[in-house]
Amino acid sequence: NKISRQVTFAKRRNGLLKKAYELSLLCDAEVALIIFSGRGRLFEFSSSSCMYRTLERYRTCNSNSQEATPPLENEV
């Protein structure tokens, strides 16, 4: 049922946004959450003042970890 699915999505989305906020507040963690609904609507939360800065930090850390990890072809 489409309506039931939309209601469930809204409740779960709100719960997830609340948990992201709580995690950032209680653990002093930098949290970024991006949600796209089935209709393509964007919902986001960022504990820092700038989502872009958090995403750049993720990109930098992710590229550094990929450089440190050898390619799969070299593993035995």
Side-chain angles (χ1 to χ4, degrees):
N1 185 345
K2 245 181 170 180
I3 294 172
S4 175
R5 195 175 352 214
Q6 182 59 33
V7 169
T8 300
F9 171 78
K11 287 180 181 179
R12 298 267 175 136
R13 180 198 65 219
N14 290 337
L16 188 57
L17 289 167
K18 182 179 176 185
K19 290 293 183 185
Y21 171 74
E22 290 173 351
L23 180 65
S24 69
L25 189 66
L26 297 174
C27 301
D28 194 29
E30 187 173 349
V31 177
L33 173 65
I34 301 172
I35 304 169
F36 289 100
S37 71
R39 295 179 178 179
R41 290 187 58 202
L42 169 66
F43 302 92
E44 63 183 15
F45 167 81
S46 178
S47 60
S48 71
S49 60
C50 180
M51 172 73 83
Y52 179 77
R53 193 175 329 140
T54 303
L55 292 173
E56 281 300 311
R57 184 175 176 194
Y58 166 76
R59 202 171 122 217
T60 301
C61 290
N62 192 37
S63 67
N64 288 343
S65 68
Q66 287 178 355
E67 290 172 5
T69 305
L72 291 175
E73 295 87 21
N74 294 343
E75 292 184 12
V76 176

